[in-house]
Each structure stands twice: as C-alpha cells, then as structure tokens.
Amino acid sequence: SAMKEVDFIFHFAGINRPENEIEFFQGNSDLTQNLCALIKDSGRKIPIVFSSSVQAGSHGSYGNSKRLAEQHLLSLRKQLGNQLHIFRLPNVFGKWCKPNYNSVVATFCHNAINCIPLEVHDPDKVISLVYIDDVIKQFLLLIEGDVREKDSDGFEVIEHQYSIRIGDLREKIEAFQA
C-alpha cells in the first residue's frame, strides 16, 4: 500500500556483516528483488536511490549480493523507465559510523581512543573516502531534481572524494591520539 503514495525511494537497507553468507543475498539481492516486484505491481515510475558499494565490483559474497541488487534495479528501470540512481559508495566516514562495522576511520578512531593497535595489512593500499554529510547532500539534491553526471559505468559519484594510503590514515589517527 505504501507504493501507492511514495514519491521517492531511498533504498539503504542491506546486510554487510552477517552471521552466515546466505544473509548477504537475503538482505541485499533478495530484498531488492522484492522491492522491485512491489514497485512493478504498483505500476508507478518511482525514482530510486540505491546505496550500493564499491565492493559490487569484486567477487566476494558481499560484492556479488550488491551487484545482484543493482541488476534487479537496472532491470526494473528497463521495464518501467523510472529514474534510478546507484551510488557505489567507497569508505564513508563521519557521524553515525560504527567502529568494526562500516568505517575504517571510525574503527581507527575507536581503537586509538581505547589504546588498541591500529592494524593495517597493506599500508600502501590507497582507499577512497567520502564524508557522510557530502553523501547526504547529494542524495537530497536528487529529490530537488539536481541530477549530476555519472561515471563511465553509469554510477552516481559523490562530488567530494578523498584518496589516502591506509598507512597514512593510520599515522594521522595515531597523531591525534598522541
């Protein structure tokens, strides 16, 4: 019944730290497939913003489940012609991020505050970071009709992104601790 009245869908639901691998698919691709069926049944061209992950480009279970979710949404767009905005988000940092769950910055800060060593497996690995307020700002602009240019693969891009070697990030957080 909600599909009769909703004007815009922000699909942020998903699983990223399950107890078993099947939950990746239940909470990411299956949930999205069910959402698409509800939208299709409504007959409405409801715009959708989907928070996917850069991991959708990898071959792990999490990445595969997010990529399948994207495919369900792309299929829906092909059938209905609705607006679709897929964000393959990199590492997000800022308020509401949880240590040891969804943010390397939050994990490093938590560990530094609690005198837990900041473990890094590959200090030369470069990661991309986006600030949560920049992410939310771009989501809200979509409601207002401000559609930005997509990347070469057709995905939305957060305007302000930061690249840093993971070893340099560790050093910055450790400097704050000191």
Side-chain angles (χ1 to χ4, degrees):
S1 64
M3 293 302 157
K4 293 177 185 174
E5 299 189 25
V6 69
D7 294 320
F8 213 103
I9 294 175
F10 285 88
H11 178 12
F12 302 154
I15 300 292
N16 65 347
R17 297 275 191 254
E19 290 186 21
N20 59 62
E21 279 193 37
I22 193 73
E23 291 178 51
F24 278 133
F25 296 93
Q26 292 169 338
N28 292 325
S29 58
D30 294 354
L31 173 71
T32 302
Q33 185 175 31
N34 292 339
L35 176 65
C36 290
L38 291 170
I39 295 167
K40 187 175 178 183
D41 289 347
S42 79
R44 298 181 63 224
K45 295 181 180 181
I46 305 167
I48 303 167
V49 172
F50 179 56
S51 63
S52 189
S53 168
V54 293
Q55 296 301 314
S58 69
H59 296 290
S61 294
Y62 175 66
N64 288 338
S65 70
K66 292 301 262 188
R67 191 170 48 259
L68 282 171
E70 292 174 358
Q71 290 169 358
H72 293 309
L73 292 163
L74 290 165
S75 176
L76 178 70
R77 180 181 66 189
K78 187 175 183 179
Q79 293 171 20
L80 296 183
N82 61 314
Q83 286 184 31
L84 176 61
H85 308 279
I86 298 175
F87 288 84
R88 280 191 171 179
L89 295 173
N91 292 280
V92 179
F93 71 98
K95 54 194 168 226
W96 307 304
C97 291
K98 296 178 182 179
N100 302 305
Y101 180 71
N102 67 355
S103 170
V104 65
V105 174
T107 300
F108 280 5
C109 290
H110 170 81
N111 288 1
I113 290 167
N114 292 288
C115 299
I116 300 169
L118 279 59
E119 294 184 32
V120 171
H121 300 290
D122 181 1
D124 292 324
K125 180 179 178 182
V126 175
I127 60 169
S128 292
L129 299 167
V130 291
Y131 182 53
I132 187 63
D133 286 358
D134 293 334
V135 174
I136 299 300
K137 178 182 176 186
Q138 199 147 339
F139 290 164
L140 294 174
L141 286 172
L142 290 171
I143 292 176
E144 298 170 5
D146 185 356
V147 178
R148 305 289 170 105
E149 192 172 318
K150 296 176 179 4
D151 70 10
S152 60
D153 294 318
F155 299 107
E156 305 286 340
V157 178
I158 301 300
E159 190 172 319
H160 301 289
Q161 291 197 29
Y162 310 93
S163 294
I164 189 168
R165 288 179 48 252
I166 195 79
D168 292 340
L169 177 62
R170 178 185 58 195
E171 288 174 15
K172 285 182 182 293
I173 302 296
E174 287 174 335
F176 292 141
Q177 179 188 28

